[in-house]
Amino acid sequence: ATPRSSARQLVREALERYGLNPDDFGQFALCDVVGRPGGGGTAGGGWQGEHLREVGDWERPLVLQELWKPKAGWSRRFEIRRRQDLERAGD
């Protein structure tokens, strides 16, 4: 990934890397997720996402990462989610 890479390009590359059909990229979206390490109060931690935003296909995730950083105690990661799951969660 480079600062010039679009979300659409990164989803396509990830699908290819994990042996899925890269032509199915339209079924998936890159999401910007903000959460807390060790969230949810579980012993041993884990990571608990609390805020999710679908990244537009033409947005540049690495540029987003440079422009906005979460507050202390929070972290961010990008996740690939099925669009149909995002639509269900929005209902």
Side-chain angles (χ1 to χ4, degrees), residues 15-44:
L15 292 176
E16 190 174 318
R17 176 173 286 166
Y18 290 104
L20 301 170
N21 184 351
D23 293 331
D24 290 340
F25 69 89
Q27 296 176 27
F28 297 89
L30 188 68
C31 296
D32 186 359
V33 185
V34 175
R36 295 179 192 219
T42 58

Side-chain angles (χ1 to χ4, degrees), residues 2-14 25 28-32 53-62 64 78-80 83:
T2 70
R4 294 175 55 162
S5 300
S6 69
R8 174 181 253 179
Q9 290 169 318
L10 295 178
V11 168
R12 189 178 181 102
E13 288 176 23
F25 69 89
F28 297 89
L30 188 68
C31 296
D32 186 359
R53 181 184 78 84
E54 183 177 339
V55 177
D57 284 343
W58 301 108
E59 288 185 78
R60 308 270 190 265
L62 293 184
L64 291 174
F78 291 100
E79 299 178 354
I80 295 175
R83 289 187 192 272

Side-chain angles (χ1 to χ4, degrees), residues 43-56:
W47 192 84
Q48 181 65 42
E50 295 194 23
H51 304 282
L52 178 141
R53 181 184 78 84
E54 183 177 339
V55 177

